[in-house]
Amino acid sequence: MAHNGAFRPFKRQTVSDSEEAPSDVQQPSTNGDPSGQDGVSGDDQAQTAPNPNVADDNSAEDQPPMDSSGDSSPAPTESLPIPSDTSVPSDLPSSPAAYPEGLSSIPGSLYGITDPAKIPTDIFLPNQPPAGPTFIDEGGCLCALRGAPDGQSTAWRCFGNHSLDAYTGSSGQWFNIPNAQTAWLNLPLNDSSNPPDVSNPMVEAPGQTNGSLTPLPGVQPDPLNVYDQACSGRNQSSWTTSYYEAEYELLNNQTPVAAAPCYLRGALPIQIQNVTSWQEHGCLDGFYCPNNTMNSLPQYCPPIDLCLETRLAGLTCQLDGVNFGMGPFEPVVCTAGYYCPHGGKEQIKCPSGHYCPVGSLSPIKCTPGAICRAGAWTQYYILPLGLLAVLDTILILLALFFGWYFAMADHRTHRLVGLGQQMSKGGLVNRKGYGKLEDETEMTELGADVVPLRRRPTGFLGSLSGNAKSAMDLDTEASPELQAFVESMRKAIHRSNFGLSFGFSRLSFCPKGAQRPVLQDISGNIKAGSLVGVMGGSGAGKSTFVNVLMGKQANTGGEVAVNGVVAKMKSYKKIIGYVPQDDIVLPELSVRENMLHSARIRLPKNWSRRDINTHVNAVIDCLELSDVSESLVGTVAKPIISGGQRKRVSIGMELAATPMAIFLDEPTSGLDATAANSIMRTLKALSKLGITVIVIIHQPRSEIFEMIDNLILLGNGQMIYEGPEEDVKAYFEHFGFRIPAHANQGDVVTDIITGNGRDYKPHGETSKEALIGYWQKSRDGRNSLHKHSSTPPEAASLRVSIKKRGAPYWTQTYYCLTRALLQQYRQRSSFWFEMGVAAIGGFLIGLANNGKKGAFYTSVYPPPYQMLSSAGDYRSAPEMALLVCIAVGLIASSPAVKLFAEEKLIYRRESESGHSRLAYYVAKVISTIPRIVLGCLHFTVPFYLLSTPPISWVIAYWLNLLYFFCIYGLASAVAMVTRREDAPLLAVMASLIVGVLSGAAPQLAKVNQWHIGWLWRMSPGTWMAEAYFTRLIEPVGHVYQLEMAVQQTGYTLDQVGLDCAILVAIGFIYRLVAFGGLLISPKIAK
């Protein structure tokens, strides 16, 4: 039978009075499948038929009419009699009779307890054999048709205390019948011919002795106790059927299985809610109490074995997918997929378009874009999946379009370049074949004195032809590109003399902690517009000397003067260019784009876009890079342009800024002889235009050595020679060295200054110390700081030029941002790979949490239902957050390192040239936002769709986005403070560490006991996990005690806003650390 008409937990079996309790309980399964090891299979259920003489309350005939709300109980305004179709066993007597000997109506006596005060009331168990029509009403009261107190009429008496005799006494509520003179004693138990008039409840008037009844509303004070007040007089058909079945079993000398208080053999219930609590709260919100009233208060029953195991696993026992109590009066938490309105009398399947998590009071309307079928316990939010598919499609189409567009542009550019080359080599080619000459006799005979035409040198090499000694002397026959470059230089510098002169006296440099200086007592001068070569052996101090001279390193002794003015060299960095030995250029940009960015940032701020483009075009043409101007530079490992062209691009990036002096660190290293000669000829041409060029060079060819105007030879950090190149041979021959006539003077000089000159001086000192001593003895007052002083107007013009150099901060930020976005577009394969990894990561984490079915937290039920609780699950929510932290760390750390670490050298080169460091870094950070947003989207969509957490998609995405933001910041900080080779591994490890420190394992509560909780609170993982935990347990806050969550986990609840704010703060702190790493990072290495 079923106590609420919803299920039948017992098989029909006759037992003797010696048995203590029914042993044929159908044991519910944990997933609705009744075929568990201790349960009853579906076939057994089909074969188990009820006693044909007992009413089956599961049949449609036994169910009361349903009202419009779907309630199977009688409508409150309708007076229902005892159903006439409730069959009663034919052998059930219609007059009072005693139960068979050995069976008592006291419930405890049936199960070994004779004291009725020790067990709760069982409204299904008859206390005495009914003498006439009887039923159980909606309040759990026993209603019996009997003689009225006046002894003259018949009426219904309904009372709550079932231990009372139904046919003596007059307590409770009374209801009249249509025919008050009916003889009730001979009527059947289920007779419905005399229904109670529930519209007019009556009570025996207090103080009266004649037994008259008075309408209840007019009696003051209310004479009814709390149990009798619950009586309604309306039949509860399923309860009445259980009562009839128990009565039948008792009369047939059977254990009253229909009235068993617990489903476990031999078990007795424990009342868990008292009268006061029931009056104040009733059935707790989120619970289903179909059989509980004031007269059948909630009880606890020991679980059967399978349900015991289920509860220990943190789950709830279920039968056919519905939560199932261990006794008819045991409340259960409202099943997921159903909702239980306030009062807990109904458990209604969640309608379509809504979802009902466990413990729902009402159905929750699905968010637009989500799918919720009938009986849904969560919503499947597919709108983000559709948006993601549309967005990815748009991105792919845009990538294909721009790829096609740029390919066509490159094709047109190459065609124009090829056409220009053909024209420069001899005019247009007639592609239609050869034509016939009209008159061969009209051809002019060429004389022997005809001189063949020669091409005029183009680009910077044009300054090497003719008699021009400087840019002032360039004739009008110079190439247009060279004239355009010179005009740009004049406009930027505001003077005709383009170069800077340098004077240095007794320069020295000693690193901190070093015992001996790297440079000492270096004096000399460099004339403006000269090509100066700095030579020396390994460790001679060449790079240190150049770094000190150009202001990259501060000298610890001596002075440096520019144009005769002693000043800090850093103030001249905007007009000084530096080309490192390694070609530090952005491989994702084209030749033009690399130069154009340098020009936009470093040229005078009042230059128009047209002026900048004109100047960059002139530089490209002068460097003879027009044919590759639109080609990407590529990397050293995967070059697109040649090594010589790559070196020209590096030089062009400095020339694009119209410098007055250029320092180059071994510009010919790594190049073949032809490319090295071409580079040096270009530098010679620049010096002839008036720009001062200082070159660190190692073992130059004869042609290159002869191009140099002045030499600075160093050994052991001291000066060996400083002066014109043509005088160096005479200088060393003066000290006994013999230089062969046809030898490469560059190689000979290198041998001598490195202490290996014994082949050129058989006798005497050849050591570097001796050479240093020779120079110190031979130098005179020629090397003066103020030897090449500028006039006051020139100095003023120079200061104005420096002041106007450089774009404003916001302009630099904009150009750096557009460049960074363009780089990411060119590396779109890396972008799509990152998105794919994010999607796979989200799929795997979602799959790992799919088995939870949205239930990430269970705990102790609120009082007084604590005894009904399953094992608490305090770890699922923190563990889910831990998995998210680890996955995001692995997804985001490597791409972030790639975006930042690989540009450290670029950043250093640009910052040392006057670029705004803050503008660069801010732009770089902003450029990562699209990757963060899209990466988080690709991660969150599959993660949310599979794990179905009971929080909104927006909240889940927002928390994941903040953690992506933190990991990108952490990875950038690691990239900036570590070596580029080590950064990827260290960033992944750092991300793993902050993920583990999320408070899941070990739990934050345990860590707080160790007094190191502050360390966990420094990790963004803890704050993200705390926000997740709060949101995951909020929907079940009315079903479980949340205080236990705080005690077990150590998280603080209800501060999601603070958690998010701290995540943002940590993300910015990481970026401040990264920016600090940029500021203190070492200078560009050789």
Side-chain angles (χ1 to χ4, degrees):
M1 44 71 61
H3 300 294
N4 58 3
F7 38 73
R8 177 177 296 277
F10 299 108
K11 293 189 293 184
R12 215 36 92 183
Q13 178 176 329
T14 301
V15 296
S16 66
D17 58 355
S18 61
E19 293 179 346
E20 297 182 352
S23 60
D24 53 354
V25 178
Q26 177 179 329
Q27 300 184 4
S29 66
T30 60
N31 58 2
D33 181 6
S35 59
Q37 59 180 5
D38 296 324
V40 180
S41 67
D43 293 340
D44 290 339
Q45 284 185 310
Q47 297 170 2
T48 303
N51 190 315
N53 296 322
V54 179
D56 184 357
D57 62 319
N58 276 339
S59 64
E61 292 79 15
D62 292 336
Q63 300 302 318
M66 297 183 66
D67 60 16
S68 59
S69 65
D71 187 4
S72 61
S73 60
T77 59
E78 181 183 359
S79 177
L80 279 181
I82 301 174
S84 59
D85 55 358
T86 302
S87 61
V88 180
S90 59
D91 54 350
L92 186 65
S94 60
S95 60
Y99 291 126
E101 184 178 357
L103 281 181
S104 170
S105 62
I106 300 175
S109 66
L110 303 175
Y111 307 103
I113 298 178
T114 59
D115 185 0
K118 293 184 178 180
I119 62 172
T121 301
D122 186 349
I123 63 174
F124 302 147
L125 183 66
N127 180 54
Q128 64 183 121
T134 308
F135 68 90
I136 306 296
D137 75 357
E138 295 172 348
C141 297
L142 178 64
C143 296
L145 185 64
R146 51 159 282 186
D150 58 6
Q152 301 177 2
S153 60
T154 301
W156 286 94
R157 178 196 178 195
C158 296
F159 57 96
N161 188 352
H162 288 223
S163 63
L164 299 177
D165 189 335
Y167 303 102
T168 62
S170 59
S171 62
Q173 299 189 39
W174 292 80
F175 302 93
N176 288 326
I177 60 175
N179 185 4
Q181 302 304 317
T182 301
W184 60 274
L185 191 60
N186 295 320
L187 294 176
L189 181 64
N190 65 335
D191 180 77
S192 61
S193 61
N194 297 282
D197 182 8
V198 297
S199 64
N200 186 26
M202 297 179 294
V203 295
E204 185 177 19
Q208 296 187 13
T209 59
N210 58 0
S212 61
L213 298 176
T214 303
L216 179 59
V219 180
Q220 294 295 336
D222 191 343
L224 300 176
N225 57 40
V226 294
Y227 306 103
D228 294 340
Q229 289 175 5
C231 299
S232 67
R234 296 185 181 89
N235 176 41
Q236 218 291 350
S237 61
S238 63
W239 297 353
T240 299
T241 302
S242 297
Y243 183 86
Y244 291 170
E245 291 178 343
E247 171 68 12
Y248 172 81
E249 292 168 335
L250 284 171
L251 290 176
N252 285 274
N253 197 23
Q254 299 173 2
T255 299
V257 175
C262 293
Y263 301 151
L264 180 66
R265 179 188 178 94
L268 289 175
I270 300 174
Q271 182 174 302
I272 58 176
Q273 191 168 7
N274 57 32
V275 173
T276 303
S277 174
W278 185 263
Q279 284 181 310
E280 294 179 356
H281 307 290
C283 182
L284 298 187
D285 287 344
F287 285 83
Y288 180 43
C289 311
N291 299 327
N292 297 124
T293 66
M294 180 63 72
N295 296 297
S296 55
L297 294 172
Q299 304 170 6
Y300 163 79
C301 285
I304 61 176
D305 291 344
L306 182 59
C307 283
L308 177 61
E309 297 171 2
T310 301
R311 290 184 179 182
L312 291 176
L315 305 175
T316 305
C317 292
Q318 289 190 337
L319 182 66
D320 296 332
V322 179
N323 291 346
F324 182 71
M326 292 293 96
F329 306 111
E330 181 176 283
V332 293
V333 66
C334 196
T335 309
Y338 294 78
Y339 68 96
C340 301
H342 182 74
K345 292 299 182 182
E346 299 176 278
Q347 182 167 256
I348 306 171
K349 190 172 184 179
C350 207
S352 178
H354 299 73
Y355 68 99
C356 303
V358 62
S360 295
L361 289 172
S362 60
I364 304 173
K365 189 173 181 60
C366 273
T367 306
I371 294 178
C372 295
R373 297 185 176 91
W377 46 267
T378 188
Q379 59 178 345
Y380 290 94
Y381 200 40
I382 63 171
L383 179 61
L385 181 62
L387 293 178
L388 180 62
V390 172
L391 180 60
D392 283 348
T393 302
I394 293 175
L395 291 176
I396 292 173
L397 292 176
L398 287 176
L400 293 175
F401 170 76
F402 283 112
W404 170 82
Y405 176 81
F406 289 128
M408 295 300 296
D410 291 343
H411 180 68
R412 288 193 297 269
T413 301
H414 289 312
R415 286 187 60 188
L416 292 175
V417 170
L419 183 61
Q421 291 176 343
Q422 292 174 9
M423 295 179 64
S424 63
K425 293 179 180 179
L428 291 173
V429 178
N430 184 356
R431 301 188 181 275
K432 296 182 180 181
Y434 295 100
K436 181 179 179 181
L437 295 177
E438 296 293 337
D439 189 356
E440 296 181 1
T441 59
E442 295 181 2
M443 294 182 61
T444 304
E445 294 183 2
L446 297 178
D449 57 346
V450 175
V451 179
L453 294 176
R454 290 185 178 179
R455 292 184 58 197
R456 187 180 183 87
T458 59
F460 288 126
L461 299 182
S463 63
L464 298 178
S465 62
N467 299 320
K469 296 181 180 180
S470 67
M472 290 290 294
D473 300 329
L474 284 174
D475 55 28
T476 57
E477 295 182 1
S479 62
E481 61 270 16
L482 184 57
Q483 293 185 26
F485 175 79
V486 172
E487 187 62 31
S488 297
M489 291 290 297
R490 289 171 178 167
K491 182 178 180 180
I493 298 173
H494 301 287
R495 52 186 287 182
S496 57
N497 186 6
F498 296 161
L500 294 178
S501 62
F502 297 88
F504 41 94
S505 176
R506 308 188 68 82
L507 276 184
S508 63
F509 175 76
C510 183
K512 291 182 180 180
Q515 296 181 353
R516 54 177 296 179
V518 178
L519 292 180
Q520 56 180 329
D521 198 22
I522 302 293
S523 300
N525 60 79
I526 297 175
K527 182 181 178 181
S530 60
L531 175 60
V532 179
V534 180
M535 297 177 62
S538 178
K542 303 185 297 296
S543 298
T544 303
F545 167 71
V546 170
N547 290 338
V548 170
L549 190 61
M550 63 181 296
K552 289 177 60 179
Q553 290 179 339
N555 54 297
T556 57
E559 293 180 320
V560 178
V562 178
N563 287 355
V565 179
V566 178
K568 292 184 178 180
M569 291 303 300
K570 287 187 177 181
S571 60
Y572 294 95
K573 65 180 180 180
K574 291 184 178 181
I575 57 174
I576 294 177
Y578 174 68
V579 180
Q581 179 178 352
D582 296 326
D583 300 324
I584 303 175
V585 294
L586 288 174
E588 303 85 11
L589 302 185
S590 66
V591 171
R592 179 184 299 278
E593 289 164 348
N594 272 291
M595 295 185 188
L596 186 60
H597 179 79
S598 178
R600 287 170 171 172
I601 300 298
R602 298 168 62 183
L603 285 176
K605 61 187 70 175
N606 59 347
W607 276 35
S608 66
R609 179 176 299 181
R610 181 178 180 181
D611 294 337
I612 295 174
N613 289 329
T614 300
H615 175 66
V616 171
N617 290 336
V619 173
I620 292 174
D621 292 339
C622 290
L623 289 173
E624 299 182 352
L625 293 173
S626 301
D627 55 338
V628 294
S629 61
E630 303 302 329
S631 299
L632 300 183
V633 175
T635 62
V636 176
K638 295 182 179 180
I640 298 178
I641 60 177
S642 67
Q645 290 171 332
R646 187 181 179 89
K647 180 64 70 176
R648 290 176 182 272
V649 172
S650 186
I651 296 173
M653 290 174 62
E654 300 303 319
L655 294 179
T658 62
M660 300 178 68
I662 298 181
F663 291 79
L664 300 97
D665 189 356
E666 299 193 21
T668 60
S669 62
L671 302 179
D672 57 60
T674 302
N677 185 65
S678 176
I679 291 294
M680 288 305 298
R681 283 174 58 82
T682 300
L683 297 177
K684 180 64 176 180
L686 290 173
S687 68
K688 194 169 183 181
L689 289 175
I691 300 174
T692 306
V693 182
I694 297 95
V695 180
I696 297 177
I697 196 163
H698 183 68
Q699 288 186 325
R701 294 173 55 190
S702 297
E703 297 86 346
I704 294 176
F705 187 78
E706 293 172 357
M707 294 181 193
I708 299 174
D709 297 323
N710 290 284
L711 288 172
I712 296 177
L713 307 181
L714 300 176
N716 292 341
Q718 299 183 62
M719 187 73 77
I720 292 179
Y721 172 81
E722 185 269 321
E725 176 270 332
E726 58 265 21
D727 295 342
V728 68
K729 178 179 179 181
Y731 173 79
F732 284 113
E733 287 181 343
H734 178 72
F735 290 104
F737 291 93
R738 294 293 178 263
I739 299 177
H742 300 290
N744 181 353
Q745 292 191 27
D747 291 341
V748 175
V749 169
T750 300
D751 291 340
I752 292 175
I753 62 178
T754 56
N756 299 314
R758 177 58 65 188
D759 292 341
Y760 312 107
K761 185 179 180 181
H763 306 287
E765 288 288 342
T766 60
S767 65
K768 289 183 284 186
E769 291 75 10
L771 297 176
I772 294 170
Y774 292 155
W775 173 253
Q776 291 176 347
K777 293 178 181 178
S778 63
R779 67 179 181 179
D780 51 23
R782 295 176 301 165
N783 298 327
S784 172
L785 282 173
H786 309 286
K787 183 174 183 180
H788 302 289
S789 299
S790 59
T791 63
E794 290 177 335
S797 176
L798 182 60
R799 288 193 297 269
V800 171
S801 176
I802 295 174
K803 188 175 181 180
K804 290 183 178 181
R805 291 294 183 101
Y809 166 76
W810 292 112
T811 303
Q812 291 194 38
T813 304
Y814 169 75
Y815 285 129
C816 289
L817 176 60
T818 55
R819 181 181 68 170
L821 293 176
L822 179 60
Q823 287 178 261
Q824 294 187 41
Y825 169 75
R826 298 271 170 79
Q827 294 178 316
R828 50 191 177 276
S829 60
S830 175
F831 168 80
W832 287 117
F833 183 77
E834 181 183 351
M835 297 303 105
V837 170
I840 293 174
F843 174 82
L844 294 177
I845 301 303
L847 192 63
N849 291 282
N850 182 258
K852 295 294 182 179
K853 294 185 177 180
F856 290 91
Y857 175 77
T858 57
S859 181
V860 178
Y861 293 142
Y865 294 175
Q866 303 99 313
M867 294 182 69
L868 306 176
S869 305
S870 300
D873 180 8
Y874 307 102
R875 303 185 68 89
S876 290
E879 286 173 353
M880 188 196 76
L882 171 64
L883 291 176
V884 171
C885 290
I886 293 176
V888 173
L890 296 177
I891 292 167
S893 57
S894 293
V897 168
K898 180 177 177 62
L899 288 175
F900 287 94
E902 294 187 358
E903 292 188 16
K904 290 169 70 174
L905 295 179
I906 287 288
Y907 159 79
R908 293 169 186 167
R909 174 177 181 176
E910 293 180 345
S911 63
E912 290 165 1
S913 301
H915 290 220
S916 170
R917 302 183 179 190
L918 183 60
Y920 167 82
Y921 187 69
V922 169
K924 202 66 180 175
V925 169
I926 294 175
S927 72
T928 63
I929 292 178
R931 297 181 78 103
I932 294 175
V933 171
L934 293 174
C936 181
L937 183 63
H938 283 80
F939 173 82
T940 305
V941 167
F943 159 73
Y944 188 88
L945 196 60
L946 290 175
S947 61
T948 61
I951 59 178
S952 71
W953 186 89
V954 175
I955 293 296
Y957 177 77
W958 174 246
L959 293 177
N960 293 344
L961 182 66
L962 292 180
Y963 198 73
F964 263 89
F965 178 73
C966 289
I967 292 301
Y968 259 78
L970 175 63
S972 65
V974 172
M976 294 305 180
V977 300
T978 59
R979 294 193 312 166
R980 182 175 58 180
E981 298 80 5
D982 302 331
L985 179 60
L986 293 178
V988 172
M989 180 57 65
S991 300
L992 180 62
I993 291 173
V994 299
V996 171
L997 298 182
S998 62
Q1003 288 187 319
L1004 188 61
K1006 189 69 174 180
V1007 173
N1008 290 332
Q1009 296 177 5
W1010 301 340
H1011 305 291
I1012 56 173
W1014 56 269
L1015 180 60
W1016 266 248
R1017 287 293 179 181
M1018 293 175 63
S1019 165
T1022 297
W1023 300 100
M1024 200 269 277
E1026 184 172 87
Y1028 253 118
F1029 189 75
T1030 298
R1031 289 299 188 184
L1032 287 172
I1033 71 175
E1034 274 182 350
V1036 293
H1038 63 288
V1039 178
Y1040 301 110
Q1041 295 186 43
L1042 300 187
E1043 295 79 7
M1044 299 291 293
V1046 177
Q1047 298 173 8
Q1048 293 292 327
T1049 63
Y1051 294 125
T1052 303
L1053 304 182
D1054 300 324
Q1055 59 172 25
V1056 176
L1058 177 62
D1059 295 330
C1060 294
I1062 293 180
L1063 283 173
V1064 173
I1066 291 176
F1068 278 109
I1069 290 174
Y1070 286 153
R1071 284 161 174 80
L1072 289 177
V1073 172
F1075 183 64
L1078 281 179
L1079 297 180
I1080 64 175
S1081 59
K1083 307 299 180 181
I1084 300 177
K1086 181 177 177 180

